[in-house]
Amino acid sequence: MNSWQTWNRAEPLRLARYVVSKAVQGHFGAPLPSFDQRQADRLAVVRIAYEHLRKQRILYDTAEIDFQNHSPVMQVIREPGQVKGGSGNCLDLTLIFAGLCQWMKLRPLVVLLERHALLAVMLDADVESVMEGRGGGNDYQLLHQGLLAPNASTDTLRRWADEKKCVLIECTGITDSSSYGRDFEAAVTAGEDAIRRGDVLNVVDVSFCHKNGHTPYLTTSGLQVTSELALGPVAVHHLRSRMARVNVVEPSQWHCQALRAVETTDRRLREELANLERALSAAEFAKEWLGNELTSRRLRSVLWLRSRVEMPTEQVMAWQDYFAHVALNHPSTETSGCAMVGYVLALGLDVGRRSDDTAFSAWAESVLDAAVVNDVRLRMDQRHRQAKLRLLLVLDASLTDEWPERVDAWLLDGDELREQNFGKCQPTQYDVETVVNDLVDWAALLVEEVSETLQRVDIAMPTALLTRWLPEEIGPGGHLGKQHDVVVRWGTRLNPPRHLRVRKSEIRGRWKIIEEQGPSAMWWLDHEQASDLNVVDVTLRTQHMGGMGLRFTPDSHAHLLELLLKYSPVLLWPNADLCAWQGVEPELERYWVSLPTALAEAYRKRWQGIDAPLATMRAVWDDPEWLTFCHKAQGRAGIA
C-alpha cells in the first residue's frame, strides 16, 4: 500500500517531499562518511553510495499506474519500502538515491528530462552548506529558489560535470537488471549522455526545498524504520578501553539494547553505560526533531558556546559521538541527564526552535522530572538571550594614530539597538581605560535591570593600538576579561581611507571561505614572507581568499596589519615571538568553531595559572555582525 500523494508534474518543488532520507536509511541501510571524508573526496563518497545501493538487488520496473484516477500529468511514486521489496522506475530510483545522498550529507539535485529522471550530486558543496544558508558558490548559474533558474542555460549542468563541480548519475544503473544495471563509471557516462541527448525540463534542489518548508512525506509501507542508532567510533573506543581495564567482555553491537545487556559490577562502567544509553536516546530524538539542520558544525559549536562542555580533542567524530561526549564530559555541577537535555535544547534554540516546543517537552520529561526540565529551559533560554546581547565600544581613530579623545558605545540585542552612549577623554591610555570601564558599568547596570547579564564586550580600535593594548586586562579591581568575553574588531573598517577600501562583497566572500574551511583557510606568514608588502598584496588580491595569520609579533608593523586587514576579516598573531606553535596549532583546530570566545576563555585560564596554549594568541575577528554594523554606519556624518 502507498500512502503518498500522487505527484503532479506541474509541481516540481513538491518532488523534494518524496526524498525521505530516514526511510531510505531504514530500509536499505547506509554508510555514514565523516566530515573529513566528504571534504577530501566527495566523488569517492558518491561512489560508496552508488555501490551500496547496487548491492541491494533492486529490480527495474516502469512507473506504477493509478488506474482509478489516471491522468497524464499525475505520477504515482513508490515509497522506499515498496522499492526495497519490489522494484522501481527511473524516478523512484533517482529519489531513493537522492535520499541516500541526503543521509550521507551529499547534496543531490533531481534532474528532470522529457521522459526521464537522473541525479546530479554536487561536488563543491554538501547538505550542511545549504542548511546553514551558504549553498554553493556557483548556484546562481543554474538555480533559483530550489528550481532551475528562469534564464539559466541547461548547458550549465554539462559544464559543471566537465569541471567536476557535480557528477551526473543514471540511477537505473543500481538495479539488478541485465538491461539497465551498470557499474559506477558506466552510470556516470550514461548520465552525461542523457543530459547531452535530452533537454533539461527542470532541476530540483532537494536540500534547499527541505530547508524551506517542503518537508519529506511520512512513510507507511513495507518495513518500519526501526534500525537502532549505534555509538560512534570515539565512544566505542572509550568503552572498549574501560571494559578491558575491568575485564568485561565487550558486546558484539553498540546500540542501546546491547549496552543494557552488558554485565558488570564496576560502578563507574555501569554509570558510563547508562549515560551513553541516554546519549543515544538524545541523538535519536535530536535527529528526528531537527532533521537536516543537525550539522557537524552546529553540533561542535553549540557543544562549547552554549553547553560549556569542554571541546573534544578528536578531530574526526561521527555525529552521534558529540552526544556521547556530553554524556561523558559534562560539567561536575550538573548531572548527565541535565547536560544532555541542555545540549539538545541548545541545538534547537540555535535553529530557531522554542524551549516550550511540544516534541522537546515530551522527550525531555521522559529523561528528567518536569521541574528539572523547567530549570534547564530557564538556564538555556538565558544563555541564548545572553549570546545575542553585546556592548560595542568604538575608539575613534585620532589624527596622530595615538589614543582617541572619544569612545562611542552601543548596547545591542542581535541587530537591534537598545541604548547608545559615549564618553570623552584625554588622549592617554589611562583616560581611555577609565571611559571604557565607565561605559561597561553603564551597560551592565542596564541589563541587570531586566535580570540579564552582559557577557560580550566588542572593542573596535584603530590599527596603531592593536599590538599595544590588551583591553581584556584593564581594571580597576581585576581584568575586564574575567567577567566578559572581550572581542577585538578593526575600527578602521568603519570608515576606511580610500587606499584601504575593498568591495564589501569581497570581504563577506572571504568570511564564507573561512567559515567553511576553518583553520585550513588561514595563510600564515613568517618574518621573511611578510617583508615584501608588494608580494603579499598581489597574493591577497589574486590568489589567497581566506584568513591571515602571523608567526611573529607585529610590533611596529602598522602598514602590514592594515594590508592584511584590508583583505581579510580574520587576523591572528602571537603575543610573543617565541610562542609554542606545537601547542597552539592543535588548539586552533580543536576550538576553531568557538573562536573568538575560546580566546577569552583561554585568557581566563592563563590568569588562573592553568596551561592554555591559545592564550598566547591575539586576534582581530571581523565576523558578519561587525561587517553589517560597519556597512550600516558608513556614509553617515560621523557615527555618534
Side-chain angles (χ1 to χ4, degrees):
M1 174 185 174
N2 190 328
S3 64
W4 279 354
Q5 300 176 32
T6 304
W7 176 53
N8 186 331
R9 293 189 178 95
E11 299 178 308
L13 278 174
R14 193 158 63 86
L15 198 61
R17 302 197 66 184
Y18 300 89
V19 179
V20 189
S21 58
K22 185 172 182 180
V24 172
Q25 185 273 338
H27 290 291
F28 296 96
L32 188 60
S34 69
F35 174 82
D36 284 0
Q37 285 177 296
R38 295 199 312 277
Q39 293 297 102
D41 190 349
R42 287 197 181 96
L43 182 60
V45 179
V46 178
R47 179 193 294 272
I48 291 171
Y50 183 88
E51 291 176 348
H52 177 81
L53 285 178
R54 277 211 78 195
K55 296 174 184 176
Q56 307 300 314
R57 305 184 71 83
I58 302 169
L59 300 177
Y60 177 81
D61 198 359
T62 54
E64 186 174 305
I65 298 175
D66 181 353
F67 290 99
Q68 184 175 356
N69 301 298
H70 179 66
S71 166
V73 299
M74 307 298 286
Q75 181 166 342
V76 176
I77 296 178
R78 298 176 176 94
E79 294 185 20
Q82 294 175 294
V83 176
K84 172 69 174 179
S87 56
N89 74 330
C90 65
L91 183 56
D92 300 327
L93 299 168
T94 297
L95 298 175
I96 292 291
F97 196 11
L100 183 61
C101 287
Q102 282 277 111
W103 182 266
M104 296 173 68
K105 305 297 185 183
L106 297 165
R107 182 185 176 192
L109 307 179
V110 176
V111 181
L112 299 174
L113 306 177
E114 181 64 42
R115 298 181 60 82
H116 193 48
L118 52 90
L119 197 69
V121 184
M122 300 305 297
L123 302 179
D124 64 350
D126 56 16
V127 167
E128 294 179 354
S129 67
V130 178
M131 292 304 163
E132 292 174 356
R134 292 179 277 118
N138 302 293
D139 287 5
Y140 69 93
Q141 299 173 2
L142 183 73
L143 302 166
H144 177 70
Q145 296 298 307
L147 293 175
L148 185 68
N151 298 320
S153 169
T154 56
D155 289 337
T156 301
L157 269 177
R158 302 187 190 100
R159 180 166 53 80
W160 280 5
D162 292 340
E163 295 172 357
K164 308 303 180 187
K165 292 175 181 174
C166 76
V167 58
L168 298 163
I169 309 289
E170 171 55 67
C171 297
T172 58
I174 64 175
T175 59
D176 187 25
S177 164
S178 57
S179 301
Y180 295 98
R182 47 175 66 89
D183 63 22
F184 180 71
E185 284 76 12
V188 171
T189 300
E192 294 173 350
D193 290 345
I195 289 290
R196 292 187 177 93
R197 287 195 308 269
D199 290 334
V200 175
L201 299 181
N202 220 321
V203 178
V204 182
D205 184 350
V206 175
S207 303
F208 179 92
C209 294
H210 284 182
K211 177 178 171 61
N212 289 278
H214 299 277
T215 54
Y217 285 129
L218 298 175
T219 60
T220 59
S221 64
L223 299 170
Q224 296 299 306
V225 183
T226 57
S227 61
E228 279 199 87
L229 183 66
L231 292 175
V234 175
V236 169
H237 176 74
H238 172 87
L239 269 187
R240 280 176 168 157
S241 300
R242 173 74 62 195
M243 290 176 172
R245 285 198 293 272
V246 294
N247 296 317
V248 170
V249 177
E250 65 182 57
S252 58
Q253 294 179 299
W254 298 95
H255 49 59
C256 283
Q257 186 175 352
L259 297 183
R260 272 184 232 119
V262 173
E263 296 183 1
T264 179
T265 58
D266 184 83
R267 181 190 61 79
R268 186 169 179 183
L269 177 57
R270 284 204 312 272
E271 182 178 299
E272 290 190 347
L273 288 167
N275 287 344
L276 289 171
E277 186 180 337
R278 187 179 292 117
L280 285 174
S281 168
E284 287 273 21
F285 169 73
K287 182 65 178 174
E288 181 74 25
W289 189 36
L290 304 178
N292 285 322
E293 291 177 302
L294 193 67
T295 64
S296 297
R297 180 179 177 81
R298 179 164 285 124
L299 285 163
R300 194 170 181 85
S301 63
V302 167
L303 188 69
W304 194 82
L305 291 176
R306 301 291 179 267
S307 299
R308 296 294 179 178
V309 174
E310 190 66 29
M311 295 292 281
T313 56
E314 297 84 0
Q315 294 304 309
V316 180
M317 300 178 73
W319 70 273
Q320 61 267 43
D321 270 325
Y322 290 98
F323 296 87
H325 183 77
V326 173
L328 297 173
N329 299 277
H330 59 86
S332 58
T333 53
E334 62 183 354
T335 66
S336 173
C338 285
M340 193 60 60
V341 170
Y343 181 52
V344 171
L345 179 54
L347 290 166
L349 293 172
D350 197 58
V351 301
R353 300 288 198 276
R354 291 171 53 91
S355 63
D356 59 356
D357 179 271
T358 303
F360 169 77
S361 299
W363 170 77
E365 290 176 16
S366 72
V367 178
L368 301 171
D369 291 338
V372 181
V373 172
N374 288 335
D375 292 339
V376 174
R377 279 197 187 97
L378 179 62
R379 184 173 71 253
M380 300 313 297
D381 277 338
Q382 287 175 336
R383 286 184 186 174
H384 186 65
R385 288 196 304 271
Q386 182 176 292
K388 297 170 62 180
L389 193 66
R390 71 189 192 279
L391 173 65
L392 171 59
L393 301 175
V394 176
L395 279 62
D396 285 357
S398 68
L399 294 176
T400 60
D401 279 336
E402 292 297 323
W403 296 95
E405 297 181 0
R406 174 181 171 124
V407 179
D408 288 283
W410 289 265
L411 182 59
L412 300 167
D413 187 351
D415 292 330
E416 179 184 344
L417 175 65
R418 280 201 185 182
E419 296 285 347
Q420 189 172 345
N421 201 351
F422 71 93
K424 292 185 177 181
C425 53
Q426 294 298 314
T428 66
Q429 180 173 349
Y430 176 81
D431 268 33
V432 169
E433 290 184 356
T434 300
V435 169
V436 167
N437 281 316
D438 289 345
L439 291 171
V440 171
D441 286 342
W442 159 78
L445 287 172
L446 282 178
V447 300
E448 284 177 13
E449 289 175 359
V450 290
S451 302
E452 293 181 349
T453 302
L454 178 66
Q455 181 70 29
R456 175 102 161 260
V457 176
D458 294 3
I459 299 183
M461 62 179 79
T463 310
L465 297 183
L466 290 174
T467 60
R468 295 169 49 193
W469 189 42
L470 306 180
E472 71 276 3
E473 294 190 0
I474 69 175
H479 295 336
L480 177 65
K482 283 187 176 180
Q483 299 296 325
H484 305 281
D485 295 339
V486 179
V487 177
V488 174
R489 312 294 200 180
W490 188 38
T492 306
R493 207 177 295 283
L494 268 169
N495 285 296
R498 183 173 298 277
H499 73 284
L500 293 178
R501 293 178 186 172
V502 295
R503 290 189 305 275
K504 299 176 183 66
S505 59
E506 180 174 339
I507 293 295
R508 290 187 177 276
R510 289 173 184 263
W511 173 264
K512 285 185 177 181
I513 290 172
I514 296 168
E515 187 178 43
E516 291 173 4
Q517 299 180 13
S520 63
M522 297 293 290
W523 179 26
W524 292 90
L525 301 178
D526 57 27
H527 272 288
E528 183 178 352
Q529 292 170 311
S531 61
D532 191 331
L533 296 187
N534 289 329
V535 172
V536 174
D537 188 11
V538 170
T539 304
L540 285 172
R541 280 190 288 112
T542 62
Q543 298 178 39
H544 180 68
M545 295 298 293
M548 291 303 304
L550 298 174
R551 293 189 180 274
F552 60 94
T553 304
D555 294 331
S556 304
H557 287 76
H559 292 305
L560 171 63
L561 294 179
E562 285 184 337
L563 173 61
L564 300 181
L565 288 166
K566 171 184 177 179
Y567 293 104
S568 173
V570 170
L571 175 61
L572 299 171
W573 71 90
N575 204 29
D577 280 350
L578 298 178
C579 83
W581 285 104
Q582 67 273 17
V584 169
E585 289 178 328
E587 289 292 279
L588 282 173
E589 289 274 353
R590 183 181 181 190
Y591 286 99
W592 186 265
V593 294
S594 54
L595 292 177
T597 308
L599 282 177
E601 184 65 24
Y603 300 152
R604 285 190 280 269
K605 287 181 178 179
R606 182 187 62 193
W607 298 330
Q608 297 168 22
I610 301 172
D611 182 45
L614 276 185
T616 62
M617 299 300 294
R618 308 294 305 165
V620 173
W621 202 266
D622 290 354
D623 59 18
E625 286 180 343
W626 175 239
L627 298 178
T628 298
F629 184 88
C630 292
H631 175 65
K632 291 179 178 179
Q634 285 172 9
R636 299 175 186 171
I639 57 174

